[in-house]
Amino acid sequence: MALTVVGSIAFDSVRTPFGERDRMLGGSAVHFALAASFFTEVRVVGPVGDDFGDDHLAVLSERAIDTDDIEHVPGKTFFWRGHYDHDMNIAHTDDTELNVFADFEPKLSPASCEAQMLFLGNIQPELQRRVRAQSSASFAALDSMNLWIDTARDSLVAAIAEVDCLLLNDAELRMLTGRPNLSQAARATMEMGPSVVVAKRGEYGAVLFTAEATFAIPGLPLEDVRDPTGAGDSFAGGFLGYLDGVRTGGEHDERALRRAMAYGSVLASFNVEDFGTERVQRLTESELAERYDEFRRLTTFEEAPVSSRP
Amino acid sequence: MALTVVGSIAFDSVRTPFGERDRMLGGSAVHFALAASFFTEVRVVGPVGDDFGDDHLAVLSERAIDTDDIEHVPGKTFFWRGHYDHDMNIAHTDDTELNVFADFEPKLSPASCEAQMLFLGNIQPELQRRVRAQSSASFAALDSMNLWIDTARDSLVAAIAEVDCLLLNDAELRMLTGRPNLSQAARATMEMGPSVVVAKRGEYGAVLFTAEATFAIPGLPLEDVRDPTGAGDSFAGGFLGYLDGVRTGGEHDERALRRAMAYGSVLASFNVEDFGTERVQRLTESELAERYDEFRRLTTFEEAPVSSRP
């Protein structure tokens, strides 16, 4: 088992009502890889600049994430600056510098090509397609965002047709398909190619759509949310990492997908408890198991015969 | 077992992207009573005008709802006109005529006073308090809205202190307490009096807070949502109706509360499938049981040992 992720490796400067951090390690590939590393072997593909030091690499390698395909190129690492007000469902972008990402041409090593699972983090859809074309993964998943729906819709639709699973915010699924109803939007998305569609809903949780069934999991109401940056990628990392870890053959059965949704929710819930990667970096396996049980307690209710009136 | 509800009995004119209806039967007490009638004996208290006919009363009495405390007074029945655009989480009010509700002075019959459970639908908080004072119910629940938080906050806080359970939209809980974090808002609300707090989240479901635990249930992703008017009251009716139906002594244990949340969700999910009371009026017990099972399938996932890396 192995899981390759392509996406941004970044420095993030973030301000929320609960504090701020300057140039901390971030990016979709980083958040994803840390989350997935609890379940499977992860290989990260992406470019970094001269300002990316060994201490940053160590955050990944300490979790035994393979960093051989992280390409060091002259220039500066991708940079994002943003802030959140009291509604932490909404990220306000103040600055984005593509830097070394501007000329990124992904080249996967043989080991990364051969990983049986692939995650295409939120980057330009044509780049996602070029990575997909190199990979021999039997299960590929893709994340994207409103920017690409607006500016590169045809490429994005082509990229979606080439993957097995799409993860997207619910508002973006509606935007992609032009259907205000989420179930209809998910079905229309499945007609584009993917057999598995996950609608992410921020603090409200996530919904899984397959041909067979629909599964919904609420978010865990947390007393203390400090920084939601990377929560969606942590969700994807928990989700796909768990699937890759339990995988037998090419099959993902319904029950495994549901447990994977719960692990995705678990990782996202930890991610938001502190800035950037801070919480997931210090996460332990026992905390992981305990929070999974907490999600079970949060959502479990018993069968009940209709106690109808006499 | 018996459940008294006080609230509006109304005519609603509603337009949504899926159609419109003129002067259909509505109001918080009506939606609540129809939903609760599947589980327990329900008594409705409230005023109607000369324009309220036997056919309207029949909608209630056909579900064996007791209408003896519906007071016929000269004048016109409460009237609401509103519409929804594509985001059906938001109701736009175009007209409200209090009519006979303007001078409503609730007087509960002995039978309504003695019901062991009481629901104070969304009306002026001082009216809710006067009803609570007359009732000997051992469990009382209250719904309200942003209007009263804005214009009658002190009365509302006093009314909340006199009930066991508060049901409110999540945004209104935040507004009531000034806490942007939902868990903190719910805890602050419990400090006002109620031991049970339910945050309603529209299509995203609902969250239950008690001293012991938190329970969250997602909304059922429906292909066909025609009119959300009354969904919150149908939720409350399913929730409290079920609780009253299974109640033994004054106790509401955690497990019963969870099942009640599911029945509330079931009734709300039917309510939105057609205009006004149309869907719940033709609802059958077997449909009810089937949808409860559907919510179980929607939310169930298995235990999973952390499949950690070798």
Side-chain angles (χ1 to χ4, degrees), chain A residues 47-81:
Chain A
V48 296
D50 308 319
D51 50 357
F52 199 87
D54 289 344
D55 49 333
H56 301 119
L57 269 188
V59 170
L60 299 173
S61 47
E62 272 165 16
R63 291 238 20 103
I65 294 162
D66 189 300
T67 59
D68 288 353
D69 279 9
I70 292 184
E71 207 177 331
H72 292 259
V73 296
K76 287 168 70 183
T77 300
F78 181 97
F79 175 73
W80 181 77
R81 181 191 300 281

mmCIF file of all heavy atoms in Angstrom, chain A residues 47-81:
data_model
loop_
_atom_site.group_PDB
_atom_site.id
_atom_site.type_symbol
_atom_site.label_atom_id
_atom_site.label_comp_id
_atom_site.label_asym_id
_atom_site.label_seq_id
_atom_site.Cartn_x
_atom_site.Cartn_y
_atom_site.Cartn_z
ATOM 1 N N PRO A 47 7.041 21.254 -5.564
ATOM 2 C CA PRO A 47 8.266 22.064 -5.544
ATOM 3 C C PRO A 47 8.359 22.942 -4.291
ATOM 4 O O PRO A 47 7.359 23.420 -3.778
ATOM 5 C CB PRO A 47 8.070 22.960 -6.764
ATOM 6 C CG PRO A 47 6.582 23.184 -6.816
ATOM 7 C CD PRO A 47 5.924 21.973 -6.206
ATOM 8 N N VAL A 48 9.599 23.136 -3.816
ATOM 9 C CA VAL A 48 9.855 24.118 -2.758
ATOM 10 C C VAL A 48 11.038 24.988 -3.180
ATOM 11 O O VAL A 48 11.807 24.608 -4.075
ATOM 12 C CB VAL A 48 10.172 23.444 -1.400
ATOM 13 C CG1 VAL A 48 8.967 22.655 -0.904
ATOM 14 C CG2 VAL A 48 11.398 22.543 -1.499
ATOM 15 N N GLY A 49 11.192 26.140 -2.532
ATOM 16 C CA GLY A 49 12.250 27.084 -2.899
ATOM 17 C C GLY A 49 13.438 27.017 -1.961
ATOM 18 O O GLY A 49 13.531 26.147 -1.076
ATOM 19 N N ASP A 50 14.354 27.991 -2.161
ATOM 20 C CA ASP A 50 15.588 28.051 -1.353
ATOM 21 C C ASP A 50 15.290 28.266 0.127
ATOM 22 O O ASP A 50 16.098 27.935 0.992
ATOM 23 C CB ASP A 50 16.459 29.235 -1.816
ATOM 24 C CG ASP A 50 16.693 29.203 -3.317
ATOM 25 O OD1 ASP A 50 16.931 28.100 -3.851
ATOM 26 O OD2 ASP A 50 16.635 30.284 -3.944
ATOM 27 N N ASP A 51 14.130 28.884 0.391
ATOM 28 C CA ASP A 51 13.790 29.213 1.781
ATOM 29 C C ASP A 51 13.204 28.018 2.541
ATOM 30 O O ASP A 51 12.816 28.142 3.700
ATOM 31 C CB ASP A 51 12.799 30.389 1.802
ATOM 32 C CG ASP A 51 11.617 30.163 0.861
ATOM 33 O OD1 ASP A 51 11.593 29.126 0.146
ATOM 34 O OD2 ASP A 51 10.730 31.031 0.815
ATOM 35 N N PHE A 52 13.119 26.873 1.895
ATOM 36 C CA PHE A 52 12.546 25.694 2.543
ATOM 37 C C PHE A 52 13.673 24.879 3.148
ATOM 38 O O PHE A 52 14.516 24.335 2.432
ATOM 39 C CB PHE A 52 11.770 24.870 1.513
ATOM 40 C CG PHE A 52 10.774 23.909 2.108
ATOM 41 C CD1 PHE A 52 9.479 24.325 2.401
ATOM 42 C CD2 PHE A 52 11.122 22.588 2.377
ATOM 43 C CE1 PHE A 52 8.550 23.443 2.937
ATOM 44 C CE2 PHE A 52 10.200 21.705 2.925
ATOM 45 C CZ PHE A 52 8.911 22.129 3.203
ATOM 46 N N GLY A 53 13.725 24.816 4.468
ATOM 47 C CA GLY A 53 14.878 24.237 5.142
ATOM 48 C C GLY A 53 14.663 22.805 5.585
ATOM 49 O O GLY A 53 13.579 22.234 5.449
ATOM 50 N N ASP A 54 15.725 22.235 6.127
ATOM 51 C CA ASP A 54 15.663 20.862 6.606
ATOM 52 C C ASP A 54 14.665 20.697 7.751
ATOM 53 O O ASP A 54 14.068 19.638 7.922
ATOM 54 C CB ASP A 54 17.053 20.417 7.073
ATOM 55 C CG ASP A 54 18.000 20.215 5.889
ATOM 56 O OD1 ASP A 54 17.495 20.129 4.740
ATOM 57 O OD2 ASP A 54 19.217 20.155 6.117
ATOM 58 N N ASP A 55 14.495 21.764 8.554
ATOM 59 C CA ASP A 55 13.547 21.677 9.658
ATOM 60 C C ASP A 55 12.113 21.512 9.140
ATOM 61 O O ASP A 55 11.293 20.848 9.754
ATOM 62 C CB ASP A 55 13.654 22.912 10.560
ATOM 63 C CG ASP A 55 13.641 24.212 9.771
ATOM 64 O OD1 ASP A 55 14.057 24.213 8.572
ATOM 65 O OD2 ASP A 55 13.199 25.236 10.322
ATOM 66 N N HIS A 56 11.839 22.122 7.976
ATOM 67 C CA HIS A 56 10.507 21.957 7.398
ATOM 68 C C HIS A 56 10.320 20.540 6.855
ATOM 69 O O HIS A 56 9.276 19.915 7.060
ATOM 70 C CB HIS A 56 10.280 22.993 6.288
ATOM 71 C CG HIS A 56 10.397 24.401 6.766
ATOM 72 N ND1 HIS A 56 11.344 25.286 6.282
ATOM 73 C CD2 HIS A 56 9.712 25.080 7.717
ATOM 74 C CE1 HIS A 56 11.223 26.446 6.902
ATOM 75 N NE2 HIS A 56 10.236 26.341 7.780
ATOM 76 N N LEU A 57 11.357 20.046 6.176
ATOM 77 C CA LEU A 57 11.308 18.669 5.681
ATOM 78 C C LEU A 57 11.138 17.680 6.838
ATOM 79 O O LEU A 57 10.422 16.682 6.719
ATOM 80 C CB LEU A 57 12.592 18.321 4.930
ATOM 81 C CG LEU A 57 12.633 18.569 3.420
ATOM 82 C CD1 LEU A 57 13.914 17.975 2.845
ATOM 83 C CD2 LEU A 57 11.411 17.964 2.716
ATOM 84 N N ALA A 58 11.782 18.019 7.945
ATOM 85 C CA ALA A 58 11.752 17.107 9.098
ATOM 86 C C ALA A 58 10.342 16.917 9.642
ATOM 87 O O ALA A 58 10.010 15.841 10.167
ATOM 88 C CB ALA A 58 12.667 17.643 10.201
ATOM 89 N N VAL A 59 9.488 17.952 9.509
ATOM 90 C CA VAL A 59 8.100 17.813 9.970
ATOM 91 C C VAL A 59 7.426 16.645 9.250
ATOM 92 O O VAL A 59 6.653 15.892 9.842
ATOM 93 C CB VAL A 59 7.308 19.127 9.716
ATOM 94 C CG1 VAL A 59 5.815 18.931 9.963
ATOM 95 C CG2 VAL A 59 7.863 20.252 10.580
ATOM 96 N N LEU A 60 7.765 16.488 7.982
ATOM 97 C CA LEU A 60 7.203 15.383 7.203
ATOM 98 C C LEU A 60 7.918 14.068 7.497
ATOM 99 O O LEU A 60 7.296 13.040 7.752
ATOM 100 C CB LEU A 60 7.280 15.702 5.704
ATOM 101 C CG LEU A 60 6.505 16.952 5.264
ATOM 102 C CD1 LEU A 60 6.773 17.275 3.795
ATOM 103 C CD2 LEU A 60 5.005 16.779 5.492
ATOM 104 N N SER A 61 9.252 14.118 7.480
ATOM 105 C CA SER A 61 9.976 12.853 7.620
ATOM 106 C C SER A 61 9.818 12.273 9.029
ATOM 107 O O SER A 61 9.864 11.055 9.209
ATOM 108 C CB SER A 61 11.453 13.007 7.232
ATOM 109 O OG SER A 61 11.997 14.149 7.834
ATOM 110 N N GLU A 62 9.576 13.122 10.014
ATOM 111 C CA GLU A 62 9.314 12.594 11.363
ATOM 112 C C GLU A 62 8.073 11.708 11.401
ATOM 113 O O GLU A 62 7.929 10.850 12.266
ATOM 114 C CB GLU A 62 9.130 13.738 12.371
ATOM 115 C CG GLU A 62 10.454 14.177 12.980
ATOM 116 C CD GLU A 62 10.349 15.521 13.682
ATOM 117 O OE1 GLU A 62 9.213 15.957 13.966
ATOM 118 O OE2 GLU A 62 11.402 16.144 13.918
ATOM 119 N N ARG A 63 7.160 11.958 10.490
ATOM 120 C CA ARG A 63 5.978 11.085 10.383
ATOM 121 C C ARG A 63 6.187 10.042 9.276
ATOM 122 O O ARG A 63 5.230 9.481 8.756
ATOM 123 C CB ARG A 63 4.709 11.902 10.117
ATOM 124 C CG ARG A 63 4.314 12.752 11.316
ATOM 125 C CD ARG A 63 2.901 12.469 11.857
ATOM 126 N NE ARG A 63 2.318 11.218 11.502
ATOM 127 C CZ ARG A 63 2.224 10.156 12.327
ATOM 128 N NH1 ARG A 63 2.656 10.221 13.562
ATOM 129 N NH2 ARG A 63 1.679 9.042 11.900
ATOM 130 N N ALA A 64 7.454 9.810 8.940
ATOM 131 C CA ALA A 64 7.837 8.773 7.960
ATOM 132 C C ALA A 64 7.218 8.989 6.582
ATOM 133 O O ALA A 64 6.977 8.036 5.837
ATOM 134 C CB ALA A 64 7.507 7.379 8.498
ATOM 135 N N ILE A 65 6.956 10.253 6.272
ATOM 136 C CA ILE A 65 6.454 10.587 4.933
ATOM 137 C C ILE A 65 7.642 10.660 3.984
ATOM 138 O O ILE A 65 8.672 11.257 4.317
ATOM 139 C CB ILE A 65 5.701 11.941 4.988
ATOM 140 C CG1 ILE A 65 4.435 11.794 5.835
ATOM 141 C CG2 ILE A 65 5.388 12.456 3.584
ATOM 142 C CD1 ILE A 65 3.856 13.108 6.311
ATOM 143 N N ASP A 66 7.508 10.054 2.820
ATOM 144 C CA ASP A 66 8.593 10.042 1.848
ATOM 145 C C ASP A 66 8.652 11.395 1.129
ATOM 146 O O ASP A 66 7.671 11.832 0.530
ATOM 147 C CB ASP A 66 8.366 8.909 0.843
ATOM 148 C CG ASP A 66 9.571 8.726 -0.060
ATOM 149 O OD1 ASP A 66 9.927 9.683 -0.779
ATOM 150 O OD2 ASP A 66 10.161 7.641 -0.043
ATOM 151 N N THR A 67 9.819 12.039 1.206
ATOM 152 C CA THR A 67 9.963 13.383 0.629
ATOM 153 C C THR A 67 10.906 13.397 -0.575
ATOM 154 O O THR A 67 11.321 14.466 -1.035
ATOM 155 C CB THR A 67 10.494 14.378 1.694
ATOM 156 O OG1 THR A 67 11.763 13.909 2.164
ATOM 157 C CG2 THR A 67 9.537 14.499 2.858
ATOM 158 N N ASP A 68 11.234 12.210 -1.101
ATOM 159 C CA ASP A 68 12.187 12.135 -2.218
ATOM 160 C C ASP A 68 11.712 12.898 -3.451
ATOM 161 O O ASP A 68 12.535 13.364 -4.246
ATOM 162 C CB ASP A 68 12.437 10.675 -2.630
ATOM 163 C CG ASP A 68 13.265 9.932 -1.588
ATOM 164 O OD1 ASP A 68 13.742 10.584 -0.631
ATOM 165 O OD2 ASP A 68 13.421 8.696 -1.717
ATOM 166 N N ASP A 69 10.389 13.013 -3.638
ATOM 167 C CA ASP A 69 9.862 13.697 -4.820
ATOM 168 C C ASP A 69 9.539 15.176 -4.551
ATOM 169 O O ASP A 69 8.848 15.821 -5.347
ATOM 170 C CB ASP A 69 8.622 12.983 -5.359
ATOM 171 C CG ASP A 69 8.995 11.764 -6.215
ATOM 172 O OD1 ASP A 69 10.192 11.403 -6.223
ATOM 173 O OD2 ASP A 69 8.097 11.199 -6.863
ATOM 174 N N ILE A 70 10.000 15.683 -3.421
ATOM 175 C CA ILE A 70 9.895 17.129 -3.197
ATOM 176 C C ILE A 70 11.092 17.769 -3.894
ATOM 177 O O ILE A 70 12.244 17.487 -3.565
ATOM 178 C CB ILE A 70 9.867 17.476 -1.699
ATOM 179 C CG1 ILE A 70 8.557 16.954 -1.084
ATOM 180 C CG2 ILE A 70 9.992 18.987 -1.492
ATOM 181 C CD1 ILE A 70 8.359 17.322 0.373
ATOM 182 N N GLU A 71 10.789 18.609 -4.880
ATOM 183 C CA GLU A 71 11.817 19.149 -5.764
ATOM 184 C C GLU A 71 12.293 20.508 -5.235
ATOM 185 O O GLU A 71 11.478 21.410 -5.043
ATOM 186 C CB GLU A 71 11.180 19.344 -7.142
ATOM 187 C CG GLU A 71 12.132 19.265 -8.306
ATOM 188 C CD GLU A 71 11.351 19.413 -9.626
ATOM 189 O OE1 GLU A 71 10.159 19.040 -9.673
ATOM 190 O OE2 GLU A 71 11.940 19.934 -10.584
ATOM 191 N N HIS A 72 13.575 20.644 -5.001
ATOM 192 C CA HIS A 72 14.131 21.922 -4.561
ATOM 193 C C HIS A 72 14.533 22.726 -5.783
ATOM 194 O O HIS A 72 15.378 22.294 -6.557
ATOM 195 C CB HIS A 72 15.343 21.713 -3.655
ATOM 196 C CG HIS A 72 14.984 21.106 -2.348
ATOM 197 N ND1 HIS A 72 14.857 21.833 -1.181
ATOM 198 C CD2 HIS A 72 14.678 19.825 -2.031
ATOM 199 C CE1 HIS A 72 14.502 21.028 -0.200
ATOM 200 N NE2 HIS A 72 14.392 19.804 -0.681
ATOM 201 N N VAL A 73 13.920 23.877 -5.980
ATOM 202 C CA VAL A 73 14.236 24.704 -7.160
ATOM 203 C C VAL A 73 14.598 26.115 -6.708
ATOM 204 O O VAL A 73 14.193 26.548 -5.623
ATOM 205 C CB VAL A 73 13.060 24.733 -8.166
ATOM 206 C CG1 VAL A 73 12.811 23.346 -8.738
ATOM 207 C CG2 VAL A 73 11.793 25.262 -7.518
ATOM 208 N N PRO A 74 15.396 26.821 -7.517
ATOM 209 C CA PRO A 74 15.777 28.188 -7.137
ATOM 210 C C PRO A 74 14.532 29.072 -7.062
ATOM 211 O O PRO A 74 13.617 28.948 -7.876
ATOM 212 C CB PRO A 74 16.679 28.648 -8.297
ATOM 213 C CG PRO A 74 17.077 27.382 -9.022
ATOM 214 C CD PRO A 74 15.964 26.424 -8.830
ATOM 215 N N GLY A 75 14.527 29.968 -6.071
ATOM 216 C CA GLY A 75 13.382 30.867 -5.911
ATOM 217 C C GLY A 75 12.745 30.666 -4.547
ATOM 218 O O GLY A 75 13.344 30.060 -3.652
ATOM 219 N N LYS A 76 11.541 31.190 -4.409
ATOM 220 C CA LYS A 76 10.867 31.135 -3.106
ATOM 221 C C LYS A 76 9.695 30.154 -3.109
ATOM 222 O O LYS A 76 9.039 29.941 -4.139
ATOM 223 C CB LYS A 76 10.350 32.535 -2.721
ATOM 224 C CG LYS A 76 11.477 33.489 -2.296
ATOM 225 C CD LYS A 76 10.996 34.931 -2.202
ATOM 226 C CE LYS A 76 10.057 35.144 -1.028
ATOM 227 N NZ LYS A 76 9.554 36.536 -0.995
ATOM 228 N N THR A 77 9.445 29.584 -1.950
ATOM 229 C CA THR A 77 8.340 28.641 -1.781
ATOM 230 C C THR A 77 7.005 29.362 -1.910
ATOM 231 O O THR A 77 6.891 30.551 -1.570
ATOM 232 C CB THR A 77 8.478 27.973 -0.384
ATOM 233 O OG1 THR A 77 9.734 27.283 -0.346
ATOM 234 C CG2 THR A 77 7.349 27.008 -0.093
ATOM 235 N N PHE A 78 6.024 28.644 -2.421
ATOM 236 C CA PHE A 78 4.637 29.136 -2.500
ATOM 237 C C PHE A 78 4.250 29.788 -1.165
ATOM 238 O O PHE A 78 4.542 29.263 -0.097
ATOM 239 C CB PHE A 78 3.725 27.938 -2.800
ATOM 240 C CG PHE A 78 2.264 28.256 -2.932
ATOM 241 C CD1 PHE A 78 1.687 28.447 -4.183
ATOM 242 C CD2 PHE A 78 1.443 28.336 -1.808
ATOM 243 C CE1 PHE A 78 0.325 28.722 -4.316
ATOM 244 C CE2 PHE A 78 0.086 28.620 -1.930
ATOM 245 C CZ PHE A 78 -0.469 28.813 -3.190
ATOM 246 N N PHE A 79 3.569 30.961 -1.249
ATOM 247 C CA PHE A 79 3.222 31.691 -0.031
ATOM 248 C C PHE A 79 1.764 32.116 -0.062
ATOM 249 O O PHE A 79 1.260 32.591 -1.086
ATOM 250 C CB PHE A 79 4.121 32.930 0.093
ATOM 251 C CG PHE A 79 3.759 33.819 1.256
ATOM 252 C CD1 PHE A 79 4.055 33.428 2.564
ATOM 253 C CD2 PHE A 79 3.109 35.035 1.044
ATOM 254 C CE1 PHE A 79 3.698 34.240 3.646
ATOM 255 C CE2 PHE A 79 2.764 35.845 2.123
ATOM 256 C CZ PHE A 79 3.059 35.455 3.421
ATOM 257 N N TRP A 80 1.072 31.928 1.065
ATOM 258 C CA TRP A 80 -0.327 32.366 1.198
ATOM 259 C C TRP A 80 -0.490 33.146 2.494
ATOM 260 O O TRP A 80 0.011 32.740 3.533
ATOM 261 C CB TRP A 80 -1.281 31.164 1.187
ATOM 262 C CG TRP A 80 -2.741 31.542 1.302
ATOM 263 C CD1 TRP A 80 -3.543 32.043 0.319
ATOM 264 C CD2 TRP A 80 -3.573 31.434 2.467
ATOM 265 N NE1 TRP A 80 -4.815 32.255 0.794
ATOM 266 C CE2 TRP A 80 -4.868 31.886 2.107
ATOM 267 C CE3 TRP A 80 -3.363 31.001 3.785
ATOM 268 C CZ2 TRP A 80 -5.944 31.924 3.005
ATOM 269 C CZ3 TRP A 80 -4.434 31.037 4.688
ATOM 270 C CH2 TRP A 80 -5.706 31.486 4.293
ATOM 271 N N ARG A 81 -1.151 34.303 2.375
ATOM 272 C CA ARG A 81 -1.488 35.056 3.575
ATOM 273 C C ARG A 81 -3.001 35.217 3.620
ATOM 274 O O ARG A 81 -3.624 35.599 2.613
ATOM 275 C CB ARG A 81 -0.834 36.433 3.556
ATOM 276 C CG ARG A 81 -1.132 37.271 4.823
ATOM 277 C CD ARG A 81 -0.704 38.732 4.685
ATOM 278 N NE ARG A 81 0.709 38.882 4.432
ATOM 279 C CZ ARG A 81 1.663 38.806 5.365
ATOM 280 N NH1 ARG A 81 1.329 38.599 6.623
ATOM 281 N NH2 ARG A 81 2.925 38.921 5.022
#
